[in-house]
Amino acid sequence: ASSSPSSSLAVPATPKKMEKASGTLDYVMASESVAIDTLGFELVRDIKAGEAIFIDFHGNCHARQCHINNSFSPCIFEYVYFARPDSIMDGVSVYETRLLMGEKLAYKIMKNHPEHDIDVVIPIPDTSRTSALQAAYVLGRPFREGYIKNRYIARTFIM
């Protein structure tokens, strides 16, 4: 739905870009695509390693590669703990990444411990649910909820 005439921001029914009534664009930067989607913005591209983004007072977006000899090295904690599973980061699905992590773990267990005596696979922390489910499937073992986090207290890891 469009915003009211008195609003300074027109939001189209199917947001593609966030255009102001004046025709200029608003911008948002986030590490997860789901934050951009939820706000109704269009994901344009990922910021490159060593790149700086500057938005001037007139709403113009400028990009500059500040460090030439850079290497792409994403934070594994984003994919394992922090990111929502429906996010896409650096063109990679977090959900698909977690599935592959569970699969790789299961194959590593089968290779290094072929006579393992695993009874069940339990996800710890909550964000490992996708990986644990895939590991259980590959290992042929049941997936169980054996540990339930208290959602009414603050974070209980990486303190």
Side-chain angles (χ1 to χ4, degrees):
S2 295
S3 58
S4 66
S6 62
S7 173
S8 65
L9 182 65
V11 180
T14 306
K16 294 290 181 193
K17 294 178 183 168
M18 293 296 278
E19 284 191 42
K20 291 183 182 178
S22 65
T24 61
L25 294 176
D26 280 339
Y27 298 95
V28 64
M29 312 293 168
S31 63
E32 294 185 58
S33 66
V34 72
I36 294 168
D37 297 338
T38 301
L39 292 170
F41 283 77
E42 177 185 5
L43 178 62
V44 176
R45 67 176 180 87
D46 290 311
I47 298 173
K48 299 175 194 132
E51 181 180 24
I53 304 293
F54 172 72
I55 301 168
D56 65 28
F57 287 112
H58 302 289
N60 300 310
C61 186
H62 308 274
R64 177 177 289 163
Q65 194 66 37
C66 299
H67 193 289
I68 297 168
N69 297 324
N70 54 53
S71 63
F72 177 68
S73 52
C75 176
I76 190 69
F77 282 96
E78 285 280 352
Y79 290 96
V80 174
Y81 294 112
F82 302 129
R84 284 182 30 163
D86 53 343
S87 281
I88 295 173
M89 297 185 316
D90 303 309
V92 178
S93 163
V94 172
Y95 180 79
E96 293 291 328
T97 300
R98 289 179 182 169
L99 280 177
L100 286 172
M101 283 189 256
E103 193 170 306
K104 295 263 187 195
L105 176 61
Y107 285 126
K108 185 173 183 176
I109 290 168
M110 292 187 314
K111 178 183 173 191
N112 296 338
H113 306 284
E115 302 298 322
H116 67 80
D117 61 348
I118 295 172
D119 295 319
V120 297
V121 177
I122 298 172
I124 299 173
D126 285 346
T127 55
S128 71
R129 185 165 277 104
T130 306
S131 299
L133 191 57
Q134 187 67 5
Y137 176 76
V138 172
L139 290 169
R141 296 295 192 256
F143 172 88
R144 296 290 184 262
E145 297 286 345
Y147 178 81
I148 306 298
K149 180 188 180 321
N150 182 344
R151 298 185 189 282
Y152 303 103
I153 60 172
R155 283 197 166 149
T156 55
F157 71 99
I158 310 178
M159 293 191 168

